[in-house]
Amino acid sequence: MKKIILVTGATGAQGGSVARVLLDNKKFAVRILTRNVQSQQAQALAAAGAEIVEGDFDDVASLQRALQGVYGVFGVTNFWEHFEHEFRQGKNLIDAVKLAGVEHFIYSSLKDYNALSGGTLSVPHCDIKAALRNYAKELQVPATFTEVAFYYENFLTFFPLQKDEQGSLFFGFPQGDTKLSMFSAEDLGGVVASIFDHPNEYIGRTVGVVAEDLTCAEYAQIMSKVLEREVYFNYIPRDVYAGFGFPGAEELANMFEVQRLYIPNRQLDLIESYGLNPNMQRFESWLKKHKATFVGRISEQLATV
Ligand code: NAP
């Protein structure tokens, strides 16, 4: 009988990558937790061999049921749907993991940006995940914590390219000239599967997941090369960006500002990530692979301005 790993968020970006790689590797049985067992993503995972269990981070009994007989858990909580309630949901998951006696919990955490800034800037989607890591440590859950970088996929969702008055494409935020670590969420599964394969080495550790560590101007140069038209990076100071007023503007402004001021590079995380998953994609390879989607996204975006 294979040991079972419960993957949360498996219908989404991070958990989806983890579930797919664990299914491909065939070393563990894969169970996924979802609120909607009928969704296309859940059904695709079922067809690939996953056991699908209905559950919700807000429903403690459903978590306890999903954790029966489980050896390991991949946990990811979603700030952008639940906002500050993410802490309660993560706590429910950690409590259930502890109660079930799970032997290896991997939680997708982030750095404590408030602490990095000496308490001056708060970034709840990061700070909450850091608080959840501390909570799991307090409970002495046998855990590994990942700190994933900014997804390349964000350029297709949260941060699409824009067009200036001269017709050139650009993206802009408060990152300045400081390197911005990135990776493709598609590649998390390879990292997490290697961590599950080496519990003795990784329980108690935090692993940064980084595939590229360049300045925004350098990412823009790669875009220009692959897309064959000029793309540039526009540095927007924190206060200007925070004033844009869209939901989450201040939070994202603070996130980039903390990174600009306090995270000069993540080279060591990058080296360890390629050790765990040698197939991590460089930005240029990822962009070439997704060029058609990228170009389509740019056209859609430009049609709306
Ligand atoms: P995603 O693609 O939006 O998918 C969200 C997943 O969360 C779905 O599988 C959903 O499952 C599950 N979920 C949401 N609410 C749930 C609930 N109440 N109970 C059980 N499952 C629930 O998310 P993602 O991008 O993989 O991960 C989101 C997290 O990544 C955020 O917290 C964000 O802060 C973090 N992050 C993002 C970046 C970035 O660059 N974008 C970088 C670092 C960290 P069902 O709908 O099937 O129930």
mmCIF file of all heavy atoms in Angstrom, residues 79-80 83 110 113 121-126 150 154 157-160 172-176 180 235-260:
data_model
loop_
_atom_site.group_PDB
_atom_site.id
_atom_site.type_symbol
_atom_site.label_atom_id
_atom_site.label_comp_id
_atom_site.label_asym_id
_atom_site.label_seq_id
_atom_site.Cartn_x
_atom_site.Cartn_y
_atom_site.Cartn_z
ATOM 1 N N PHE A 79 -4.962 33.741 0.311
ATOM 2 C CA PHE A 79 -5.277 35.085 0.813
ATOM 3 C C PHE A 79 -6.216 35.836 -0.127
ATOM 4 O O PHE A 79 -7.145 36.511 0.314
ATOM 5 C CB PHE A 79 -3.980 35.896 0.971
ATOM 6 C CG PHE A 79 -4.226 37.306 1.429
ATOM 7 C CD1 PHE A 79 -4.386 37.589 2.772
ATOM 8 C CD2 PHE A 79 -4.328 38.361 0.524
ATOM 9 C CE1 PHE A 79 -4.643 38.893 3.202
ATOM 10 C CE2 PHE A 79 -4.591 39.662 0.948
ATOM 11 C CZ PHE A 79 -4.745 39.928 2.279
ATOM 12 N N TRP A 80 -5.981 35.708 -1.429
ATOM 13 C CA TRP A 80 -6.680 36.606 -2.368
ATOM 14 C C TRP A 80 -8.162 36.288 -2.506
ATOM 15 O O TRP A 80 -8.915 37.060 -3.084
ATOM 16 C CB TRP A 80 -5.958 36.632 -3.724
ATOM 17 C CG TRP A 80 -4.570 37.181 -3.540
ATOM 18 C CD1 TRP A 80 -3.391 36.482 -3.577
ATOM 19 C CD2 TRP A 80 -4.214 38.530 -3.200
ATOM 20 N NE1 TRP A 80 -2.334 37.319 -3.293
ATOM 21 C CE2 TRP A 80 -2.807 38.576 -3.063
ATOM 22 C CE3 TRP A 80 -4.942 39.715 -2.990
ATOM 23 C CZ2 TRP A 80 -2.111 39.753 -2.743
ATOM 24 C CZ3 TRP A 80 -4.249 40.882 -2.673
ATOM 25 C CH2 TRP A 80 -2.867 40.887 -2.555
ATOM 26 N N PHE A 83 -8.768 36.861 2.226
ATOM 27 C CA PHE A 83 -8.095 37.973 2.906
ATOM 28 C C PHE A 83 -7.704 37.585 4.343
ATOM 29 O O PHE A 83 -7.213 36.482 4.546
ATOM 30 C CB PHE A 83 -8.937 39.250 2.782
ATOM 31 C CG PHE A 83 -9.158 39.567 1.318
ATOM 32 C CD1 PHE A 83 -10.332 39.202 0.659
ATOM 33 C CD2 PHE A 83 -8.141 40.142 0.562
ATOM 34 C CE1 PHE A 83 -10.490 39.419 -0.711
ATOM 35 C CE2 PHE A 83 -8.289 40.370 -0.816
ATOM 36 C CZ PHE A 83 -9.467 40.011 -1.444
ATOM 37 N N LEU A 110 5.342 32.297 3.483
ATOM 38 C CA LEU A 110 6.112 33.404 2.906
ATOM 39 C C LEU A 110 6.865 34.101 4.037
ATOM 40 O O LEU A 110 6.602 33.831 5.219
ATOM 41 C CB LEU A 110 5.182 34.395 2.182
ATOM 42 C CG LEU A 110 4.577 33.898 0.850
ATOM 43 C CD1 LEU A 110 3.520 34.863 0.327
ATOM 44 C CD2 LEU A 110 5.655 33.683 -0.224
ATOM 45 N N TYR A 113 7.079 39.997 6.110
ATOM 46 C CA TYR A 113 7.503 41.281 5.531
ATOM 47 C C TYR A 113 7.428 42.399 6.567
ATOM 48 O O TYR A 113 8.210 43.344 6.532
ATOM 49 C CB TYR A 113 6.638 41.627 4.306
ATOM 50 C CG TYR A 113 7.116 40.963 3.026
ATOM 51 C CD1 TYR A 113 7.533 39.642 3.015
ATOM 52 C CD2 TYR A 113 7.153 41.670 1.828
ATOM 53 C CE1 TYR A 113 7.976 39.038 1.839
ATOM 54 C CE2 TYR A 113 7.604 41.088 0.644
ATOM 55 C CZ TYR A 113 8.008 39.765 0.669
ATOM 56 O OH TYR A 113 8.454 39.177 -0.500
ATOM 57 N N LEU A 121 6.052 48.387 7.510
ATOM 58 C CA LEU A 121 5.177 48.112 6.358
ATOM 59 C C LEU A 121 4.503 46.765 6.568
ATOM 60 O O LEU A 121 5.182 45.774 6.857
ATOM 61 C CB LEU A 121 6.004 48.054 5.069
ATOM 62 C CG LEU A 121 6.670 49.371 4.646
ATOM 63 C CD1 LEU A 121 7.742 49.112 3.590
ATOM 64 C CD2 LEU A 121 5.637 50.350 4.105
ATOM 65 N N SER A 122 3.203 46.724 6.406
ATOM 66 C CA SER A 122 2.572 45.414 6.593
ATOM 67 C C SER A 122 2.074 44.886 5.252
ATOM 68 O O SER A 122 1.589 45.641 4.396
ATOM 69 C CB SER A 122 1.472 45.478 7.647
ATOM 70 O OG SER A 122 0.314 45.954 7.073
ATOM 71 N N VAL A 123 2.238 43.591 5.076
ATOM 72 C CA VAL A 123 1.863 42.909 3.823
ATOM 73 C C VAL A 123 1.116 41.646 4.242
ATOM 74 O O VAL A 123 1.695 40.559 4.322
ATOM 75 C CB VAL A 123 3.116 42.569 2.979
ATOM 76 C CG1 VAL A 123 2.704 41.991 1.622
ATOM 77 C CG2 VAL A 123 3.997 43.796 2.791
ATOM 78 N N PRO A 124 -0.178 41.792 4.553
ATOM 79 C CA PRO A 124 -0.888 40.672 5.190
ATOM 80 C C PRO A 124 -0.769 39.328 4.475
ATOM 81 O O PRO A 124 -0.656 38.301 5.144
ATOM 82 C CB PRO A 124 -2.338 41.162 5.241
ATOM 83 C CG PRO A 124 -2.210 42.648 5.306
ATOM 84 C CD PRO A 124 -1.006 43.000 4.488
ATOM 85 N N HIS A 125 -0.750 39.287 3.125
ATOM 86 C CA HIS A 125 -0.723 37.955 2.507
ATOM 87 C C HIS A 125 0.596 37.235 2.794
ATOM 88 O O HIS A 125 0.645 36.005 2.724
ATOM 89 C CB HIS A 125 -1.049 38.000 1.004
ATOM 90 C CG HIS A 125 0.047 38.480 0.095
ATOM 91 N ND1 HIS A 125 0.246 39.798 -0.214
ATOM 92 C CD2 HIS A 125 0.990 37.801 -0.595
ATOM 93 C CE1 HIS A 125 1.263 39.920 -1.059
ATOM 94 N NE2 HIS A 125 1.745 38.712 -1.299
ATOM 95 N N CYS A 126 1.634 37.986 3.110
ATOM 96 C CA CYS A 126 2.915 37.369 3.511
ATOM 97 C C CYS A 126 2.960 37.180 5.027
ATOM 98 O O CYS A 126 3.315 36.098 5.524
ATOM 99 C CB CYS A 126 4.076 38.255 3.090
ATOM 100 S SG CYS A 126 4.145 38.571 1.318
ATOM 101 N N PHE A 150 7.633 35.193 -6.742
ATOM 102 C CA PHE A 150 6.612 35.807 -7.618
ATOM 103 C C PHE A 150 6.442 34.913 -8.859
ATOM 104 O O PHE A 150 7.426 34.543 -9.495
ATOM 105 C CB PHE A 150 7.201 37.164 -7.996
ATOM 106 C CG PHE A 150 6.328 38.145 -8.693
ATOM 107 C CD1 PHE A 150 5.495 38.997 -7.989
ATOM 108 C CD2 PHE A 150 6.396 38.285 -10.090
ATOM 109 C CE1 PHE A 150 4.737 39.958 -8.649
ATOM 110 C CE2 PHE A 150 5.641 39.234 -10.750
ATOM 111 C CZ PHE A 150 4.807 40.069 -10.016
ATOM 112 N N ASN A 154 2.057 35.671 -13.152
ATOM 113 C CA ASN A 154 1.414 36.936 -12.767
ATOM 114 C C ASN A 154 1.302 37.903 -13.949
ATOM 115 O O ASN A 154 0.423 38.762 -13.975
ATOM 116 C CB ASN A 154 2.194 37.630 -11.650
ATOM 117 C CG ASN A 154 2.066 36.904 -10.326
ATOM 118 O OD1 ASN A 154 1.092 36.187 -10.098
ATOM 119 N ND2 ASN A 154 3.036 37.087 -9.458
ATOM 120 N N THR A 157 -1.975 37.466 -15.377
ATOM 121 C CA THR A 157 -3.143 37.666 -14.504
ATOM 122 C C THR A 157 -3.103 39.038 -13.839
ATOM 123 O O THR A 157 -3.635 40.003 -14.380
ATOM 124 C CB THR A 157 -3.196 36.550 -13.438
ATOM 125 O OG1 THR A 157 -1.935 36.506 -12.742
ATOM 126 C CG2 THR A 157 -3.469 35.191 -14.060
ATOM 127 N N PHE A 158 -2.416 39.124 -12.700
ATOM 128 C CA PHE A 158 -2.409 40.369 -11.914
ATOM 129 C C PHE A 158 -1.703 41.537 -12.600
ATOM 130 O O PHE A 158 -2.050 42.693 -12.385
ATOM 131 C CB PHE A 158 -1.690 40.162 -10.572
ATOM 132 C CG PHE A 158 -2.413 39.313 -9.572
ATOM 133 C CD1 PHE A 158 -1.833 38.143 -9.085
ATOM 134 C CD2 PHE A 158 -3.656 39.678 -9.082
ATOM 135 C CE1 PHE A 158 -2.478 37.361 -8.146
ATOM 136 C CE2 PHE A 158 -4.306 38.905 -8.141
ATOM 137 C CZ PHE A 158 -3.726 37.740 -7.673
ATOM 138 N N PHE A 159 -0.645 41.241 -13.376
ATOM 139 C CA PHE A 159 0.200 42.321 -13.903
ATOM 140 C C PHE A 159 0.388 42.218 -15.419
ATOM 141 O O PHE A 159 1.507 42.038 -15.906
ATOM 142 C CB PHE A 159 1.584 42.299 -13.214
ATOM 143 C CG PHE A 159 1.515 42.433 -11.724
ATOM 144 C CD1 PHE A 159 1.614 41.306 -10.913
ATOM 145 C CD2 PHE A 159 1.329 43.664 -11.124
ATOM 146 C CE1 PHE A 159 1.537 41.411 -9.529
ATOM 147 C CE2 PHE A 159 1.246 43.782 -9.741
ATOM 148 C CZ PHE A 159 1.350 42.654 -8.947
ATOM 149 N N PRO A 160 -0.689 42.327 -16.188
ATOM 150 C CA PRO A 160 -0.540 42.252 -17.646
ATOM 151 C C PRO A 160 0.250 43.452 -18.170
ATOM 152 O O PRO A 160 0.247 44.523 -17.542
ATOM 153 C CB PRO A 160 -1.989 42.285 -18.145
ATOM 154 C CG PRO A 160 -2.771 42.919 -17.054
ATOM 155 C CD PRO A 160 -2.077 42.597 -15.767
ATOM 156 N N GLY A 172 4.883 47.979 -14.623
ATOM 157 C CA GLY A 172 5.434 48.886 -13.625
ATOM 158 C C GLY A 172 4.929 48.597 -12.234
ATOM 159 O O GLY A 172 3.762 48.248 -12.050
ATOM 160 N N PHE A 173 5.844 48.680 -11.273
ATOM 161 C CA PHE A 173 5.514 48.597 -9.838
ATOM 162 C C PHE A 173 6.713 49.084 -9.026
ATOM 163 O O PHE A 173 7.737 49.459 -9.613
ATOM 164 C CB PHE A 173 5.026 47.201 -9.454
ATOM 165 C CG PHE A 173 5.633 46.009 -10.178
ATOM 166 C CD1 PHE A 173 6.970 45.687 -10.014
ATOM 167 C CD2 PHE A 173 4.856 45.201 -11.000
ATOM 168 C CE1 PHE A 173 7.519 44.571 -10.647
ATOM 169 C CE2 PHE A 173 5.411 44.090 -11.650
ATOM 170 C CZ PHE A 173 6.748 43.780 -11.464
ATOM 171 N N PRO A 174 6.624 49.063 -7.685
ATOM 172 C CA PRO A 174 7.675 49.721 -6.894
ATOM 173 C C PRO A 174 8.965 48.919 -6.635
ATOM 174 O O PRO A 174 9.670 49.180 -5.683
ATOM 175 C CB PRO A 174 6.958 50.014 -5.551
ATOM 176 C CG PRO A 174 5.512 49.919 -5.823
ATOM 177 C CD PRO A 174 5.388 48.873 -6.891
ATOM 178 N N GLN A 175 9.314 47.978 -7.493
ATOM 179 C CA GLN A 175 10.467 47.110 -7.227
ATOM 180 C C GLN A 175 11.809 47.811 -7.456
ATOM 181 O O GLN A 175 12.833 47.382 -6.928
ATOM 182 C CB GLN A 175 10.336 45.853 -8.109
ATOM 183 C CG GLN A 175 11.396 44.788 -7.916
ATOM 184 C CD GLN A 175 11.295 44.014 -6.601
ATOM 185 O OE1 GLN A 175 10.230 43.897 -6.011
ATOM 186 N NE2 GLN A 175 12.425 43.530 -6.117
ATOM 187 N N GLY A 176 11.822 48.891 -8.228
ATOM 188 C CA GLY A 176 13.081 49.619 -8.480
ATOM 189 C C GLY A 176 14.092 48.761 -9.212
ATOM 190 O O GLY A 176 13.740 47.956 -10.074
ATOM 191 N N LEU A 180 14.197 40.873 -8.566
ATOM 192 C CA LEU A 180 12.892 40.307 -8.189
ATOM 193 C C LEU A 180 12.947 38.805 -8.491
ATOM 194 O O LEU A 180 13.066 38.415 -9.653
ATOM 195 C CB LEU A 180 11.779 40.977 -9.007
ATOM 196 C CG LEU A 180 10.376 40.375 -8.868
ATOM 197 C CD1 LEU A 180 9.856 40.513 -7.435
ATOM 198 C CD2 LEU A 180 9.394 41.051 -9.825
ATOM 199 N N TYR A 235 9.564 52.057 -13.092
ATOM 200 C CA TYR A 235 9.579 52.074 -11.610
ATOM 201 C C TYR A 235 8.533 53.064 -11.106
ATOM 202 O O TYR A 235 8.590 54.259 -11.408
ATOM 203 C CB TYR A 235 10.973 52.473 -11.109
ATOM 204 C CG TYR A 235 11.012 52.785 -9.630
ATOM 205 C CD1 TYR A 235 10.530 51.864 -8.692
ATOM 206 C CD2 TYR A 235 11.536 53.991 -9.165
ATOM 207 C CE1 TYR A 235 10.561 52.142 -7.331
ATOM 208 C CE2 TYR A 235 11.574 54.275 -7.800
ATOM 209 C CZ TYR A 235 11.088 53.351 -6.897
ATOM 210 O OH TYR A 235 11.109 53.633 -5.562
ATOM 211 N N ILE A 236 7.575 52.561 -10.354
ATOM 212 C CA ILE A 236 6.535 53.423 -9.779
ATOM 213 C C ILE A 236 6.782 53.472 -8.276
ATOM 214 O O ILE A 236 6.714 52.436 -7.604
ATOM 215 C CB ILE A 236 5.128 52.849 -10.063
ATOM 216 C CG1 ILE A 236 4.917 52.697 -11.575
ATOM 217 C CG2 ILE A 236 4.043 53.716 -9.436
ATOM 218 C CD1 ILE A 236 3.659 51.927 -11.956
ATOM 219 N N PRO A 237 7.092 54.621 -7.700
ATOM 220 C CA PRO A 237 7.379 54.684 -6.256
ATOM 221 C C PRO A 237 6.201 54.172 -5.416
ATOM 222 O O PRO A 237 5.040 54.259 -5.833
ATOM 223 C CB PRO A 237 7.637 56.170 -6.008
ATOM 224 C CG PRO A 237 8.014 56.720 -7.344
ATOM 225 C CD PRO A 237 7.254 55.921 -8.356
ATOM 226 N N ARG A 238 6.540 53.677 -4.255
ATOM 227 C CA ARG A 238 5.558 53.032 -3.375
ATOM 228 C C ARG A 238 4.321 53.900 -3.136
ATOM 229 O O ARG A 238 3.188 53.420 -3.223
ATOM 230 C CB ARG A 238 6.240 52.685 -2.026
ATOM 231 C CG ARG A 238 5.343 51.931 -1.073
ATOM 232 C CD ARG A 238 5.203 52.646 0.277
ATOM 233 N NE ARG A 238 4.040 52.120 0.967
ATOM 234 C CZ ARG A 238 2.907 52.799 1.156
ATOM 235 N NH1 ARG A 238 2.771 54.041 0.713
ATOM 236 N NH2 ARG A 238 1.891 52.254 1.758
ATOM 237 N N ASP A 239 4.514 55.163 -2.821
ATOM 238 C CA ASP A 239 3.360 55.999 -2.454
ATOM 239 C C ASP A 239 2.442 56.231 -3.655
ATOM 240 O O ASP A 239 1.224 56.297 -3.510
ATOM 241 C CB ASP A 239 3.827 57.351 -1.898
ATOM 242 C CG ASP A 239 4.469 57.176 -0.535
ATOM 243 O OD1 ASP A 239 4.378 56.054 0.029
ATOM 244 O OD2 ASP A 239 5.090 58.146 -0.045
ATOM 245 N N VAL A 240 3.033 56.348 -4.828
ATOM 246 C CA VAL A 240 2.229 56.554 -6.047
ATOM 247 C C VAL A 240 1.393 55.289 -6.287
ATOM 248 O O VAL A 240 0.182 55.345 -6.524
ATOM 249 C CB VAL A 240 3.143 56.844 -7.263
ATOM 250 C CG1 VAL A 240 2.328 56.905 -8.547
ATOM 251 C CG2 VAL A 240 3.940 58.121 -7.046
ATOM 252 N N TYR A 241 2.056 54.138 -6.201
ATOM 253 C CA TYR A 241 1.361 52.864 -6.476
ATOM 254 C C TYR A 241 0.250 52.629 -5.453
ATOM 255 O O TYR A 241 -0.861 52.231 -5.811
ATOM 256 C CB TYR A 241 2.386 51.721 -6.426
ATOM 257 C CG TYR A 241 1.927 50.438 -7.074
ATOM 258 C CD1 TYR A 241 2.150 50.196 -8.420
ATOM 259 C CD2 TYR A 241 1.276 49.454 -6.337
ATOM 260 C CE1 TYR A 241 1.744 49.023 -9.029
ATOM 261 C CE2 TYR A 241 0.860 48.265 -6.933
ATOM 262 C CZ TYR A 241 1.101 48.061 -8.283
ATOM 263 O OH TYR A 241 0.685 46.895 -8.874
ATOM 264 N N ALA A 242 0.558 52.904 -4.177
ATOM 265 C CA ALA A 242 -0.442 52.689 -3.113
ATOM 266 C C ALA A 242 -1.672 53.556 -3.374
ATOM 267 O O ALA A 242 -2.791 53.188 -3.019
ATOM 268 C CB ALA A 242 0.154 53.009 -1.750
ATOM 269 N N GLY A 243 -1.456 54.701 -4.038
ATOM 270 C CA GLY A 243 -2.553 55.637 -4.300
ATOM 271 C C GLY A 243 -3.406 55.241 -5.496
ATOM 272 O O GLY A 243 -4.408 55.901 -5.775
ATOM 273 N N PHE A 244 -3.036 54.189 -6.213
ATOM 274 C CA PHE A 244 -3.827 53.799 -7.394
ATOM 275 C C PHE A 244 -5.242 53.379 -7.009
ATOM 276 O O PHE A 244 -6.152 53.416 -7.824
ATOM 277 C CB PHE A 244 -3.147 52.676 -8.188
ATOM 278 C CG PHE A 244 -1.971 53.127 -9.017
ATOM 279 C CD1 PHE A 244 -1.093 52.200 -9.571
ATOM 280 C CD2 PHE A 244 -1.741 54.481 -9.262
ATOM 281 C CE1 PHE A 244 -0.009 52.607 -10.350
ATOM 282 C CE2 PHE A 244 -0.656 54.891 -10.025
ATOM 283 C CZ PHE A 244 0.213 53.951 -10.573
ATOM 284 N N GLY A 245 -5.403 52.904 -5.789
ATOM 285 C CA GLY A 245 -6.754 52.717 -5.255
ATOM 286 C C GLY A 245 -7.455 51.421 -5.609
ATOM 287 O O GLY A 245 -8.551 51.172 -5.114
ATOM 288 N N PHE A 246 -6.851 50.576 -6.453
ATOM 289 C CA PHE A 246 -7.550 49.305 -6.728
ATOM 290 C C PHE A 246 -7.429 48.414 -5.485
ATOM 291 O O PHE A 246 -6.541 48.630 -4.651
ATOM 292 C CB PHE A 246 -6.988 48.632 -7.988
ATOM 293 C CG PHE A 246 -5.538 48.230 -7.905
ATOM 294 C CD1 PHE A 246 -5.162 47.026 -7.320
ATOM 295 C CD2 PHE A 246 -4.536 49.072 -8.407
ATOM 296 C CE1 PHE A 246 -3.820 46.652 -7.246
ATOM 297 C CE2 PHE A 246 -3.194 48.701 -8.330
ATOM 298 C CZ PHE A 246 -2.839 47.494 -7.744
ATOM 299 N N PRO A 247 -8.316 47.419 -5.323
ATOM 300 C CA PRO A 247 -8.238 46.586 -4.121
ATOM 301 C C PRO A 247 -6.873 45.889 -4.049
ATOM 302 O O PRO A 247 -6.431 45.290 -5.020
ATOM 303 C CB PRO A 247 -9.362 45.541 -4.325
ATOM 304 C CG PRO A 247 -10.220 46.063 -5.418
ATOM 305 C CD PRO A 247 -9.396 47.007 -6.243
ATOM 306 N N GLY A 248 -6.208 46.050 -2.924
ATOM 307 C CA GLY A 248 -4.896 45.414 -2.762
ATOM 308 C C GLY A 248 -3.735 46.307 -3.185
ATOM 309 O O GLY A 248 -2.571 45.896 -3.104
ATOM 310 N N ALA A 249 -4.015 47.543 -3.655
ATOM 311 C CA ALA A 249 -2.926 48.410 -4.158
ATOM 312 C C ALA A 249 -1.905 48.710 -3.055
ATOM 313 O O ALA A 249 -0.691 48.616 -3.277
ATOM 314 C CB ALA A 249 -3.502 49.705 -4.712
ATOM 315 N N GLU A 250 -2.390 49.036 -1.879
ATOM 316 C CA GLU A 250 -1.458 49.390 -0.794
ATOM 317 C C GLU A 250 -0.644 48.169 -0.374
ATOM 318 O O GLU A 250 0.576 48.252 -0.160
ATOM 319 C CB GLU A 250 -2.241 49.946 0.393
ATOM 320 C CG GLU A 250 -1.353 50.176 1.580
ATOM 321 C CD GLU A 250 -1.692 51.424 2.371
ATOM 322 O OE1 GLU A 250 -2.818 51.926 2.238
ATOM 323 O OE2 GLU A 250 -0.809 51.860 3.135
ATOM 324 N N GLU A 251 -1.332 47.043 -0.274
ATOM 325 C CA GLU A 251 -0.650 45.797 0.106
ATOM 326 C C GLU A 251 0.463 45.443 -0.893
ATOM 327 O O GLU A 251 1.589 45.105 -0.518
ATOM 328 C CB GLU A 251 -1.698 44.682 0.159
ATOM 329 C CG GLU A 251 -1.138 43.311 0.047
ATOM 330 C CD GLU A 251 -1.672 42.353 1.084
ATOM 331 O OE1 GLU A 251 -2.707 42.650 1.698
ATOM 332 O OE2 GLU A 251 -1.021 41.329 1.294
ATOM 333 N N LEU A 252 0.155 45.538 -2.188
ATOM 334 C CA LEU A 252 1.161 45.196 -3.202
ATOM 335 C C LEU A 252 2.272 46.252 -3.226
ATOM 336 O O LEU A 252 3.457 45.921 -3.397
ATOM 337 C CB LEU A 252 0.504 45.061 -4.579
ATOM 338 C CG LEU A 252 -0.418 43.832 -4.704
ATOM 339 C CD1 LEU A 252 -1.201 43.872 -6.010
ATOM 340 C CD2 LEU A 252 0.362 42.523 -4.604
ATOM 341 N N ALA A 253 1.898 47.511 -3.022
ATOM 342 C CA ALA A 253 2.914 48.580 -2.961
ATOM 343 C C ALA A 253 3.899 48.272 -1.831
ATOM 344 O O ALA A 253 5.124 48.366 -2.011
ATOM 345 C CB ALA A 253 2.231 49.929 -2.727
ATOM 346 N N ASN A 254 3.379 47.874 -0.689
ATOM 347 C CA ASN A 254 4.251 47.546 0.448
ATOM 348 C C ASN A 254 5.101 46.318 0.151
ATOM 349 O O ASN A 254 6.277 46.262 0.526
ATOM 350 C CB ASN A 254 3.417 47.288 1.700
ATOM 351 C CG ASN A 254 2.832 48.560 2.280
ATOM 352 O OD1 ASN A 254 3.170 49.660 1.832
ATOM 353 N ND2 ASN A 254 1.967 48.426 3.276
ATOM 354 N N MET A 255 4.507 45.339 -0.517
ATOM 355 C CA MET A 255 5.258 44.113 -0.823
ATOM 356 C C MET A 255 6.506 44.455 -1.664
ATOM 357 O O MET A 255 7.623 44.061 -1.343
ATOM 358 C CB MET A 255 4.372 43.129 -1.592
ATOM 359 C CG MET A 255 5.107 41.878 -2.014
ATOM 360 S SD MET A 255 4.104 40.794 -3.068
ATOM 361 C CE MET A 255 4.394 41.522 -4.687
ATOM 362 N N PHE A 256 6.295 45.223 -2.755
ATOM 363 C CA PHE A 256 7.439 45.554 -3.611
ATOM 364 C C PHE A 256 8.444 46.436 -2.860
ATOM 365 O O PHE A 256 9.655 46.305 -3.043
ATOM 366 C CB PHE A 256 6.959 46.259 -4.887
ATOM 367 C CG PHE A 256 6.240 45.337 -5.842
ATOM 368 C CD1 PHE A 256 4.887 45.518 -6.128
ATOM 369 C CD2 PHE A 256 6.907 44.292 -6.471
ATOM 370 C CE1 PHE A 256 4.226 44.673 -7.014
ATOM 371 C CE2 PHE A 256 6.248 43.440 -7.357
ATOM 372 C CZ PHE A 256 4.910 43.626 -7.628
ATOM 373 N N GLU A 257 7.926 47.329 -2.018
ATOM 374 C CA GLU A 257 8.825 48.231 -1.284
ATOM 375 C C GLU A 257 9.716 47.451 -0.308
ATOM 376 O O GLU A 257 10.911 47.716 -0.197
ATOM 377 C CB GLU A 257 7.991 49.290 -0.541
ATOM 378 C CG GLU A 257 8.788 50.355 0.170
ATOM 379 C CD GLU A 257 9.460 51.368 -0.777
ATOM 380 O OE1 GLU A 257 9.520 51.136 -2.003
ATOM 381 O OE2 GLU A 257 9.945 52.387 -0.255
ATOM 382 N N VAL A 258 9.122 46.464 0.375
ATOM 383 C CA VAL A 258 9.929 45.643 1.297
ATOM 384 C C VAL A 258 10.980 44.880 0.495
ATOM 385 O O VAL A 258 12.156 44.811 0.870
ATOM 386 C CB VAL A 258 9.034 44.675 2.114
ATOM 387 C CG1 VAL A 258 9.893 43.709 2.925
ATOM 388 C CG2 VAL A 258 8.092 45.451 3.029
ATOM 389 N N GLN A 259 10.563 44.322 -0.643
ATOM 390 C CA GLN A 259 11.529 43.578 -1.467
ATOM 391 C C GLN A 259 12.638 44.514 -1.967
ATOM 392 O O GLN A 259 13.818 44.157 -1.949
ATOM 393 C CB GLN A 259 10.810 42.928 -2.656
ATOM 394 C CG GLN A 259 9.883 41.821 -2.197
ATOM 395 C CD GLN A 259 8.951 41.274 -3.255
ATOM 396 O OE1 GLN A 259 8.252 40.318 -3.005
ATOM 397 N NE2 GLN A 259 8.918 41.869 -4.432
ATOM 398 N N ARG A 260 12.250 45.712 -2.408
ATOM 399 C CA ARG A 260 13.235 46.671 -2.938
ATOM 400 C C ARG A 260 14.280 47.024 -1.881
ATOM 401 O O ARG A 260 15.474 47.091 -2.163
ATOM 402 C CB ARG A 260 12.508 47.946 -3.406
ATOM 403 C CG ARG A 260 13.381 48.964 -4.109
ATOM 404 C CD ARG A 260 12.577 50.162 -4.587
ATOM 405 N NE ARG A 260 12.181 51.052 -3.503
ATOM 406 C CZ ARG A 260 12.966 51.976 -2.963
ATOM 407 N NH1 ARG A 260 14.202 52.149 -3.415
ATOM 408 N NH2 ARG A 260 12.531 52.752 -1.977
#
